[in-house]
Amino acid sequence: MNLWHLKVFNEIMVSGTISQAAKNLKRTQSSISAALSNLEKHIGYNLFIRKKRRLHPVPEAYYLKEESKSILQQMRVLDQSLIKKNETGSEPIKIASMPLLAEILIPSTISKFKKKSPNSNFFVSSRQSSAVYQEISTQTFDIGIAELQNKNALVNQKEYHYECICVLFSGDPLSKKKIITPKDLSKKKCASFQPNHFITKNLIKIFEKNKAIFNPHYQFQNAGTSCVNIVDNADTYSVISPISFWLISKFNLDTSKIIFRRLSSSIPYSFGILTPSHQPMSQIAKSFLNYLENAIENMLTEIDNEGVLFKI
């Protein structure tokens, strides 16, 4: 005996015929007949007497109907509870994100998601990428976004690999070139990230390799948006990530005096969506993850439409 048998039995008790029970349950008459037959075989006797195309319950059928009523009601309550839990979630969806995306992309994605799941709740933390990996590997957070670090067996990651972008003053003679080399930039004042940042480290390497002089004249925690004001003459430039380019447009910063070009010696920019590899995600977290993946794809499309997205 199973729940389907009880559901079919109760429907027949109410409707009185196999055909009507099949219509109500949206199944074929043969499947309803088979379910009733299996139930009767299991208990060892018939529950109905068949007279004039109708099924008349035997006394034991009334007993079964009464006893099964509470079981089916409990299943309906449980079913509704699980559906509601999937829509709302009893715990907040915990997201750890690198600062570049924590302030705009994550909130805008949450805004769209809550139209589908208005009672969903979130906990969002802005962390450096290494800290995001730590939070995901210890299963403290459900979802992370970070610049890629060394692979970790405790972390699943969906990876995105692109090139960094060179920022030039619009009046710079180099603006006529489509691709900029390290020698083109030799001795120019760079609005760079701080020395321990991977972009700065890579700039030093490619300048040395091309026998050019790297001049980090201006150093910032986040050169990505600072470059808009600093690159204001032909003697300055910057190198930023595609995400920084996207943020510049989202902040509506004045870019009339700067242009964006590709570097001949590319500096890779890799980031990813992280999830714990040994912890199943809740259904609502999975649903939000789909929204987040779509939001990142839309972001990359916007960058690509501007002609500055170069995939590695």
Side-chain angles (χ1 to χ4, degrees):
M1 183 188 301
N2 57 41
L3 288 171
W4 171 241
H5 291 155
L6 292 180
K7 194 170 184 179
V8 168
F9 165 73
N10 273 269
E11 194 61 46
I12 295 172
M13 286 289 288
V14 172
S15 62
T17 66
I18 294 287
S19 59
Q20 188 58 48
K23 289 180 182 179
N24 294 345
L25 294 173
K26 296 181 173 59
R27 298 295 179 91
T28 63
Q29 290 188 39
S30 60
S31 67
I32 299 300
S33 294
L36 177 60
S37 176
N38 288 334
L39 175 59
E40 290 177 331
K41 285 180 182 178
H42 177 76
I43 61 177
Y45 53 83
N46 292 335
L47 291 166
F48 299 93
I49 298 173
R50 292 155 178 82
K51 290 182 179 180
K52 297 181 180 179
R53 297 184 180 181
R54 290 191 65 84
L55 298 178
H56 299 272
V58 300
E60 289 84 356
Y62 291 101
Y63 170 78
L64 179 58
K65 184 176 187 298
E66 189 63 29
E67 291 298 312
S68 64
K69 185 189 300 183
S70 61
I71 295 173
L72 292 173
Q73 178 61 28
Q74 288 176 21
M75 286 304 301
R76 282 192 289 270
V77 171
L78 179 60
D79 189 45
Q80 292 171 0
S81 176
L82 288 173
I83 292 172
K84 186 176 181 181
K85 182 177 177 61
N86 182 39
E87 293 176 347
T88 62
S90 58
E91 296 292 332
I93 302 171
K94 301 186 72 175
I95 305 166
S97 172
M98 58 183 180
L100 282 177
L101 296 179
E103 303 303 323
I104 293 184
L105 184 79
I106 299 297
S108 67
T109 305
I110 291 174
S111 177
K112 293 175 183 176
F113 184 76
K114 67 186 182 69
K115 293 176 182 177
K116 171 184 176 290
S117 299
N119 295 319
S120 56
N121 53 100
F122 293 83
F123 180 88
V124 181
S125 178
S126 177
R127 307 286 181 92
Q128 295 301 316
S129 292
S130 57
V132 174
Y133 267 82
Q134 179 67 23
E135 299 290 8
I136 297 298
S137 66
T138 58
Q139 304 179 14
T140 310
F141 281 73
D142 301 301
I143 301 170
I145 304 182
E147 292 167 349
L148 296 186
Q149 313 284 304
N150 293 330
K151 287 194 174 182
N152 187 325
L154 299 174
V155 177
N156 293 324
Q157 54 191 45
K158 181 174 182 178
E159 301 180 4
Y160 303 87
H161 302 278
Y162 296 93
E163 296 178 12
C164 289
I165 306 162
C166 182
V167 185
L168 297 172
F169 177 60
S170 58
D172 191 327
L174 291 176
S175 64
K176 297 177 182 179
K177 299 183 65 174
K178 291 184 178 181
I179 299 178
I180 308 300
T181 69
K183 285 192 174 181
D184 291 331
L185 303 172
S186 184
K187 296 183 181 180
K188 281 180 177 284
K189 298 174 181 177
C190 182
S192 72
F193 290 86
Q194 293 180 353
N196 62 341
H197 195 277
F198 80 94
I199 291 181
T200 304
K201 290 180 179 179
N202 276 280
L203 280 170
I204 292 172
K205 288 180 181 178
I206 66 171
F207 270 68
E208 288 179 351
K209 183 178 180 179
N210 288 272
K211 297 181 180 179
I213 298 173
F214 177 58
N215 178 18
H217 197 79
Y218 310 99
Q219 298 184 35
F220 297 91
Q221 182 74 27
N222 182 13
T225 52
S226 302
C227 71
V228 173
N229 294 313
I230 300 300
V231 181
D232 59 359
N233 62 76
D235 194 38
T236 58
Y237 72 98
S238 187
V239 175
I240 64 174
S241 72
I243 293 178
S244 291
F245 172 87
W246 182 77
L247 286 175
I248 288 171
S249 66
K250 291 303 174 183
F251 286 139
N252 293 316
L253 300 178
D254 183 10
T255 59
S256 60
K257 296 182 179 180
I258 58 176
I259 59 167
F260 303 92
R261 293 290 184 265
R262 191 175 190 177
L263 278 171
S264 63
S265 299
S266 64
I267 296 176
Y269 183 78
S270 300
F271 70 100
I273 301 176
L274 316 179
T275 55
S277 60
H278 295 297
Q279 174 177 289
M281 296 182 71
S282 67
Q283 291 302 312
I284 193 168
K286 285 182 181 179
S287 182
F288 179 77
L289 180 61
N290 290 332
Y291 270 69
L292 184 58
E293 289 174 347
N294 290 334
I296 288 179
E297 291 298 333
N298 290 337
M299 174 188 73
L300 294 172
T301 298
E302 290 177 23
I303 301 170
D304 192 33
N305 289 340
E306 297 296 326
V308 292
L309 188 67
F310 310 112
K311 194 169 185 177
I312 295 176

